[in-house]
Amino acid sequence: MAVPDYQSFMLPLLKILGDQKEHSLKEIMEKLASEFNLSKEEQKELLPSGRQSKFVNRVGWARTYLKKAGLLKNVSRGIFIITERGLDVLKSNPPAIDVKYLEQFPEFIEFRNATKNENGDSKDKTMSVVYSTNGTPEEILESSYQTLRQELANELLERIKKCSPAFFEKLVVDLLVAMGYGGSRSDAGRAIGKSGDEGIDGIINEDKLGLDVVYIQAKRWENTVGRPVVQAFAGSLEGQRARKGVLITTSTFSQEAKDYVKVIEKKIVLIDGERLAQLMIDHDIGVSEQARYIVKRIDIDYFGDEEI
């Protein structure tokens, strides 16, 4: 099954603590994984950022909200116990515990109001949205980021398709140099587009020392690029006794083309329009920074043995 949303973990988590014993977060997660029949693979499924698992993130926020509502508390670092209020909640046998349920507790309301300014407007739109969705703050933030990034990639690709062949050639050079290929910008500019060999648009150094070279074909295709085009490029590499090549298109590659490069001796990397746009974003080619949001967390090492 898919990893449940963070609100679905609230009541089961509180029931685990219902024995009034101290439990570690690790122990709680093991019990929850067992209760929800989550496989190891499902427990390891990552957030879009790839920095934390969905399971750990969602259980962590379920615990945080229960703590803010006064239903559980820390007794030492990473160790929790249920409170009297938490026991009263369990005695009332609620069918579920979610954000709406927690709104009956003044401490939780205070926690929510801490994100509002003096005019009553939310300081943090992410925290405002999270109360009406099943996503944790990190998930909402990352989902919004991915949406903005995809929109930017789409806009980039549309502009690339409209640019001149000369500009597209410059764009490819700028990107490859930003990725660490080609040595200096001037060296790369002289290398690409100078070969004149059929099927090869340019040659660029693989490293700054020029110990090896990469042959390039970059075309603003509209239709899907099939195996014949890739096979012809491989043949051009053979004619140059070259071992490596990069084939770049503004469109897509057929599955046959992708399968072909997996079985040939030559190392050919296929970069379609989507990947091209994503690489441009990663290496700041054709884009500029508009805003930066840094997410911070408690530095446990700083606090040493202090209880949190």
Side-chain angles (χ1 to χ4, degrees), residues 160-173:
I160 292 170
K161 290 178 179 178
K162 295 176 182 178
C163 71
S164 67
F167 186 88
F168 184 57
E169 178 181 290
K170 173 182 177 297
L171 183 155
V172 169
V173 172

Side-chain angles (χ1 to χ4, degrees), residues 14-285:
L14 195 63
K15 286 182 176 180
I16 292 173
L17 297 176
D19 61 6
Q20 302 184 54
K21 296 180 180 179
E22 297 179 359
H23 293 270
S24 68
L25 183 57
K26 180 181 179 182
E27 180 185 354
I28 290 172
M29 288 192 293
E30 289 175 351
K31 290 180 179 294
L32 288 173
S34 177
E35 179 170 343
F36 285 93
N37 295 316
L38 296 176
S39 66
K40 293 295 184 182
E41 290 71 24
E42 289 168 333
Q43 294 176 52
K44 293 178 181 178
E45 183 182 353
L46 298 176
L47 295 170
S49 66
R51 297 174 182 173
Q52 188 181 38
S53 74
K54 288 183 177 180
F55 177 60
V56 171
N57 179 262
R58 293 175 181 179
V59 173
W61 276 103
R63 175 208 61 188
T64 295
Y65 286 175
L66 293 175
K67 180 180 177 182
K68 295 298 182 181
L71 306 187
L72 59 84
K73 64 180 181 180
N74 284 85
V75 293
S76 61
R77 182 189 300 173
I79 305 297
F80 308 91
I81 193 169
I82 196 168
T83 63
E84 288 299 324
R85 178 183 289 174
L87 288 172
D88 290 339
V89 167
L90 290 182
K91 290 176 182 178
S92 69
N93 196 29
I97 297 178
D98 54 18
V99 168
K100 186 174 180 60
Y101 181 90
L102 297 179
E103 289 176 346
Q104 65 182 288
F105 304 113
E107 292 89 345
F108 188 74
I109 296 297
E110 183 179 354
F111 164 62
R112 291 189 59 179
N113 290 340
T115 65
K116 296 180 181 296
N117 59 29
E118 59 185 11
N119 296 321
D121 299 324
S122 175
K123 295 179 182 177
D124 187 340
K125 299 300 184 184
T126 299
M127 289 301 295
S128 177
V129 172
V130 76
Y131 295 117
S132 59
T133 71
N134 287 329
T136 67
E138 286 91 349
E139 289 178 302
I140 293 173
L141 184 62
E142 291 183 13
S143 177
S144 299
Y145 167 76
Q146 293 298 332
T147 298
L148 291 172
R149 182 183 173 103
Q150 189 58 53
E151 290 177 353
L152 176 58
N154 293 340
E155 185 178 353
L156 269 176
L157 195 53
E158 286 302 313
R159 287 181 175 269
I160 292 170
K161 290 178 179 178
K162 295 176 182 178
C163 71
S164 67
F167 186 88
F168 184 57
E169 178 181 290
K170 173 182 177 297
L171 183 155
V172 169
V173 172
D174 288 342
L175 176 59
L176 292 173
V177 170
M179 294 174 65
Y181 296 94
S184 69
R185 176 62 180 78
S186 59
D187 289 341
R190 288 196 299 269
I192 195 167
K194 304 301 182 181
S195 172
D197 293 306
E198 184 177 356
I200 296 177
D201 294 326
I203 307 169
I204 197 166
N205 290 337
E206 184 178 24
D207 53 70
K208 294 182 179 180
L209 296 178
L211 296 175
D212 203 351
V213 295
V214 177
Y215 287 73
I216 304 164
Q217 188 176 79
K219 298 294 186 184
R220 294 178 304 139
W221 283 288
E222 288 292 338
N223 298 323
T224 299
V225 179
R227 172 172 172 163
V229 173
V230 180
Q231 196 165 356
F233 181 54
S236 299
L237 295 181
E238 185 66 33
Q240 296 294 321
R241 296 184 178 180
R243 299 180 297 112
K244 302 174 183 178
V246 178
L247 185 54
I248 304 173
T249 177
T250 50
S251 60
T252 59
F253 292 98
S254 69
Q255 189 58 50
E256 290 77 11
K258 296 176 183 177
D259 293 338
Y260 174 72
V261 298
K262 294 178 182 178
V263 299
I264 61 176
E265 182 180 356
K266 306 295 181 184
K267 178 62 176 179
I268 297 179
V269 175
L270 304 180
I271 299 179
D272 61 16
E274 172 64 22
R275 188 178 179 190
L276 173 62
Q278 296 292 345
L279 287 172
M280 290 176 64
I281 294 172
D282 288 338
H283 296 278
D284 295 325
I285 302 299

